[in-house]
Amino acid sequence: EKLPKSGPERLEFFQQYFEDKDDLLARDAYDEFAKAPYDVVQSLKAKLKHDQLVGWIQDLNVSTSRRRLYLTLLGVCGVPADLPMLETMIKSEDRKQRAGLDALLACYLLLKGPEGLPLVEDLYLSNVKAEYADTYAAIMALRFHGNDVHVIAKPRVVQSLRLMLNRPNLADLVIPDLARWED
């Protein structure tokens, strides 16, 4: 069987090796997905192994970079029943539970839509006690939604990012986005 040079068929082949015992093979599989355009990954929706992804996301021994990938893939193939698990992770005090927070929030918002923004805003954007890394992760998730996916209308993404203007020491993180989106 000849491996396709690119496209969804190639990715479909590699997903079976994500957590392979052969580290080199697992790394190659990860790299294939990491360099794939998001629209190609989205085209794999029906072929993604949802339950396997959920298992790996819940496994705290999976590396953060791989967890990020699995969350990105869950954002493509996830279902509303995944939301309680994601919300629990987002609200967790355990840093390992929140590992890959940018991808965790992006995935959550893909599945929850604009109704998920109040949680992200309360925990990370308007909360002055939120850690810088967590706030930055929330901004990255919203940037992804503003640029790459259209689950949440851009004006609503802008409304969330504007909350950062109330935090002058961090406002510079969102001003380029707001300017680019002509806010």
Side-chain angles (χ1 to χ4, degrees):
E1 190 178 336
K2 200 162 153 48
L3 183 63
K5 289 233 183 296
S6 63
E9 297 80 14
R10 184 176 177 88
L11 292 181
E12 186 183 347
F13 170 81
F14 275 103
Q15 80 170 326
Q16 64 190 310
Y17 298 105
F18 280 148
E19 292 292 321
D20 199 86
K21 294 199 185 336
D22 180 340
D23 199 47
L24 193 61
L25 198 52
R27 199 169 27 244
D28 282 350
Y30 171 86
D31 290 344
E32 286 291 328
F33 274 80
K35 70 183 183 195
Y38 187 67
D39 60 328
V40 174
V41 173
Q42 284 178 303
S43 72
L44 258 187
K45 180 176 181 165
K47 307 277 187 176
L48 291 171
K49 296 177 170 74
H50 172 274
D51 295 349
Q52 195 172 53
L53 292 170
V54 168
W56 289 331
I57 288 165
Q58 291 175 325
D59 180 350
L60 298 182
N61 296 315
V62 168
S63 73
T64 300
S65 58
R66 285 176 193 260
R67 187 173 207 237
R68 252 190 197 97
L69 171 63
Y70 303 151
L71 285 160
T72 301
L73 297 177
L74 187 65
V76 172
C77 71
V79 294
D82 297 323
L83 288 167
M85 170 193 72
L86 297 171
E87 285 174 11
T88 298
M89 291 174 170
I90 290 167
K91 293 174 183 175
S92 177
E93 297 293 316
D94 180 1
R95 294 207 68 70
K96 278 189 94 104
Q97 284 273 325
R98 290 195 329 262
L101 184 62
D102 53 342
L104 176 57
L105 294 173
C107 175
Y108 172 71
L109 293 172
L110 278 166
L111 301 180
K112 183 88 173 178
E115 298 78 31
L117 286 170
L119 177 65
V120 177
E121 292 167 347
D122 293 346
L123 289 177
Y124 304 115
L125 301 178
S126 47
N127 176 6
V128 294
K129 293 188 173 111
E131 291 180 38
Y132 173 86
D134 292 347
T135 297
Y136 187 73
I139 292 167
M140 294 299 293
L142 288 170
R143 193 173 284 156
F144 170 70
H145 276 271
N147 289 328
D148 299 321
V149 292
H150 307 288
V151 171
I152 301 170
K154 195 171 286 183
R156 183 61 184 92
V157 174
V158 165
Q159 182 186 334
S160 293
L161 288 178
R162 267 198 213 133
L163 293 170
M164 296 307 300
L165 300 178
N166 300 325
R167 298 173 66 184
N169 56 331
L170 299 178
D172 62 326
L173 294 173
V174 299
I175 289 172
D177 297 300
L178 297 175
R180 188 172 53 253
W181 297 334
E182 297 177 357
D183 179 52

